[in-house]
Amino acid sequence: MSLSKLHSALGALIVALAVLAASPAAFAGTKDYTVTAPDGVVLAVQEAGDPDGAPIIFVHGLLGSRLNWTKQLHDPRFQHYRLITYDLRGHGRSGKPTEADSYTDGRRWADDLATIIESTHAHKPVLVGWSLGGAVISNYLAAYGDSGIAGAVYVDGVIELKPDQIVAHPEVYRDMIASDLKTHLDGERAFLRLCFYRQPDAATFSLLLANAALASWDMQRAVQSMTVDAAEGLGKADVPLLLIYGAQDALVKAKPSIARAKSLNPRIQSKLYAASGHAPFLEEPDRFNRDLSDFIRSAVSR
């Protein structure tokens, strides 16, 4: 594909994403607003479901946005909960600072999540974090403890950014931060393909690619060095914790990550989906939503 055609295709994807996000029919009954983190980064927030229900906060992964959680937000099993999503710093419609330490310092991401909880007045939310979102939750637990939440679910979550837990894809990560636009986009496309054992339909993949195109290049360069305090965060947590991983994950090593988490906290429960990759909530949404629903019901009733 020529560079001009690639630009046109990318433009069409971003327009489609903007139309979808703006369409009242697409997200009927939702509320959009922003909050500001302690370091001044503006975070885009969305709410759906029952505003009086028990709160669930969804934290997406690298190159994503709150739109990643559509199959959960639209599931009837969750409509009696207060469903809160937000775009991580450097992603989606949230602020995109240029300083590297805005992304390498794990405490910044923890403060963002704390700001969401405080600003939304979410009482004892259940946290659900995918991939990078798992690291955000660990850093939150390390900085703020678990007294303010009911429980947490890690979905193919990053426990630590260490070689024994992360699959090496040096060429992909190199291309993702390339200054050449085509190389950069090819790298992001390759990364997204690696997210799935069961590849998504064309419309879903196009939306994911549009999400990726909105992500900050500065963030992508710096986030690979993000600090993750899993030992402090997971190690001292007393609330229910569930790990759901795809056995075919090509980005995070599922069994070593689960083993490391359980070595830090033997009370952690885990589920391994044999036929899913890095995104079981999209690859096997019915099974995932059933397991998530069971966990939430148990956690909020404690």
Side-chain angles (χ1 to χ4, degrees):
M1 179 184 291
S2 69
L3 190 56
S4 61
K5 289 183 178 179
L6 187 61
H7 287 175
S8 297
L10 178 59
L13 286 175
I14 294 175
V15 170
L17 178 60
V19 171
L20 178 62
S23 169
F27 295 105
T30 62
K31 180 172 66 172
D32 292 271
Y33 54 96
T34 62
V35 300
T36 303
D39 64 354
V41 175
V42 175
L43 304 171
V45 187
Q46 183 184 68
E47 292 196 37
D50 183 352
D52 297 318
I56 316 300
I57 298 179
F58 294 90
V59 189
H60 67 78
L62 180 64
L63 302 189
S65 80
R66 51 195 170 156
L67 296 177
N68 286 130
W69 302 107
T70 298
K71 291 186 181 295
Q72 286 65 57
L73 299 178
H74 290 175
D75 192 304
R77 280 170 283 207
F78 302 121
Q79 297 314 302
H80 61 290
Y81 295 114
R82 182 184 176 198
L83 307 174
I84 302 170
T85 55
Y86 74 102
D87 293 345
L88 292 172
R89 58 176 53 220
H91 294 77
R93 298 180 65 188
S94 287
K96 299 174 176 62
T98 58
E99 303 83 4
D101 61 0
S102 295
Y103 305 109
T104 58
D105 182 0
R107 178 60 187 258
R108 305 281 189 106
W109 304 79
D111 290 345
D112 291 350
L113 180 51
T115 298
I116 298 295
I117 295 172
E118 181 179 1
S119 298
T120 60
H121 305 289
H123 178 67
K124 294 280 188 177
V126 171
L127 308 178
V128 183
W130 176 40
S131 192
L132 177 64
V136 173
I137 293 174
S138 290
N139 282 332
Y140 168 82
L141 290 171
Y144 293 92
D146 65 357
S147 62
I149 68 171
V153 180
Y154 286 58
V155 188
D156 289 77
V158 170
I159 303 302
E160 293 164 324
L161 287 168
K162 295 183 177 180
D164 63 325
Q165 299 170 44
I166 303 297
V167 182
H169 294 287
E171 297 85 0
V172 174
Y173 291 110
R174 178 201 64 206
D175 290 351
M176 285 168 60
I177 60 174
S179 57
D180 176 71
L181 179 60
K182 184 179 185 303
T183 303
H184 168 74
L185 293 175
D186 284 344
E188 300 204 324
R189 183 185 293 106
F191 175 85
L192 292 174
R193 289 295 183 199
L194 289 169
C195 287
F196 299 95
Y197 179 65
R198 301 180 181 188
Q199 292 296 316
D201 59 78
T204 299
F205 191 80
S206 294
L207 184 63
L208 294 173
L209 186 57
N211 267 343
L214 294 174
S216 160
W217 289 18
D218 296 306
M219 178 276 298
Q220 293 179 64
R221 292 187 183 98
V223 75
Q224 298 177 38
S225 300
M226 173 184 174
T227 58
V228 185
D229 195 353
E232 181 74 13
L234 287 175
K236 295 185 177 180
D238 289 322
V239 295
L241 299 172
L242 173 64
L243 311 183
I244 298 178
Y245 283 73
Q248 309 302 324
D249 194 327
L251 292 171
V252 173
K253 297 177 182 179
K255 290 183 179 180
S257 295
I258 293 171
R260 173 57 175 159
K262 289 187 174 183
S263 75
L264 296 172
N265 188 333
R267 295 182 299 275
I268 289 175
Q269 301 297 307
S270 65
K271 293 180 181 289
L272 194 63
Y273 290 14
S276 278
H278 190 61
F281 66 104
L282 290 172
E283 296 175 73
E284 298 184 70
D286 187 64
R287 178 184 179 185
F288 176 85
N289 289 354
R290 183 173 62 251
D291 288 340
L292 179 59
S293 177
D294 290 344
F295 176 85
I296 292 171
R297 186 166 54 250
S298 175
V300 300
S301 66
R302 288 178 77 240

